[in-house]
Amino acid sequence: MAGISIHEGFGQTETTCCIGTLKNYGEPLSGFIGKPTPGYDVHVLDNEGKDCAPGESGEICIKATLNNKPCGLMCGYYKDEESTAYSWRGGYFHTGDTAYINEHGFIKYIGRNDDVIKSSGYRIGPFEVESVLMEHPAVLEVAVTGVPDPKRGFKVKATIVLRKGYTAGDDLILELQNFVKTHTAPYKYPRVIEFVDSLPKTISGKIRRTEIREKDNQKYQG
């Protein structure tokens, strides 16, 4: 509805809401999930464990240790010491999610580390492309993944469930591709679009991009 401000937030099963657009942070910034919430010392770190410069993508990490952590942050994975040690390392809890911070301290979410698509030297977050496609009236659900490509490394693919009244076809593919080009950076548009009746999901309703990638790897490499 018009006139409603959307206050986004970010959290995981392992955390409470550690980033958000709280009222005292000012007006929500479109496309950004906000700033660290009270009690969480959030950083975006590069591969060397250093803070990223504004606009540089890295991993969302929370400065803490198992012996000195904020309330709401997990103690570990049940009977999985290896995964616990991997997440808790270097004085930080590593979320496995990618983002960047702007010059005002607002954080823009990109996607899971495993989901980020590396195409022709670009790092493309599926979340942004999915968000754009969801604005198109024909799209009910969408999952964006990367498929192997000999020239680009990977190319962007959108697996789409259409709303009733829309018919899959080349004309709609072209329309959706142009829609993405005009609503975000043109290089992020899906070069491959597949229409399906449903998307694979977990019992909690999360889209299983891993299953889509596994099928595509067999199809495009096999």
Side-chain angles (χ1 to χ4, degrees):
M1 294 176 62
I4 295 178
S5 295
I6 304 298
H7 290 255
E8 296 197 59
F10 168 85
Q12 298 181 305
T13 304
E14 297 87 344
T15 76
T16 54
C17 183
C18 54
I19 302 170
T21 51
L22 306 184
K23 285 188 176 181
N24 60 325
Y25 292 169
E27 286 297 314
L29 187 60
S30 179
F32 287 77
I33 56 176
K35 295 182 179 181
T37 56
Y40 284 99
D41 186 4
V42 178
H43 296 249
V44 175
L45 304 180
D46 62 19
N47 292 333
E48 297 180 355
K50 298 179 181 179
D51 284 288
C52 293
E56 179 186 358
S57 63
E59 184 183 12
I60 299 173
C61 296
I62 300 169
K63 191 171 181 58
T65 65
L66 274 170
N67 297 323
N68 183 20
K69 64 182 184 65
C71 181
L73 194 52
M74 75 158 191
C75 294
Y77 296 105
Y78 183 62
K79 292 185 178 181
D80 192 345
E81 294 182 1
E82 183 178 349
S83 294
T84 299
Y86 182 76
S87 294
W88 288 96
R89 65 186 193 276
Y92 290 89
F93 172 75
H94 292 252
T95 67
D97 286 285
T98 304
Y100 71 79
I101 301 179
N102 72 3
E103 63 273 16
H104 302 295
F106 283 90
I107 298 172
K108 186 177 183 64
Y109 184 79
I110 297 176
R112 292 292 297 173
N113 282 347
D114 293 341
D115 292 335
V116 173
I117 304 163
K118 298 176 182 177
S119 179
S120 299
Y122 293 105
R123 290 172 59 85
I124 302 170
F127 179 76
E128 181 180 0
V129 183
E130 289 172 354
S131 297
V132 170
L133 283 167
M134 285 298 296
E135 294 179 9
H136 193 282
V139 178
L140 177 64
E141 290 185 307
V142 58
V144 170
T145 54
V147 295
D149 182 81
K151 293 182 179 180
R152 296 178 175 85
F154 288 89
K155 53 188 174 184
V156 178
K157 178 199 174 190
T159 304
I160 295 173
V161 178
L162 292 174
R163 293 185 181 276
K164 291 182 179 180
Y166 289 88
T167 303
D170 291 341
D171 289 343
L172 183 56
I173 288 176
L174 183 60
E175 180 179 336
L176 292 169
Q177 289 174 330
N178 288 332
F179 184 80
V180 174
K181 288 179 182 179
T182 57
H183 285 73
T184 187
Y187 66 84
K188 297 180 181 180
Y189 85 93
R191 295 177 182 273
V192 179
I193 292 180
E194 179 184 8
F195 298 109
V196 296
D197 294 330
S198 62
L199 296 173
K201 296 177 181 177
T202 66
I203 57 174
S204 62
K206 292 182 179 179
I207 296 173
R208 298 194 70 250
R209 293 188 185 86
T210 300
E211 185 175 325
I212 296 173
R213 284 197 297 265
E214 288 174 352
K215 291 181 178 178
D216 286 339
N217 284 340
Q218 295 175 0
K219 178 179 179 179
Y220 288 88
Q221 290 183 336

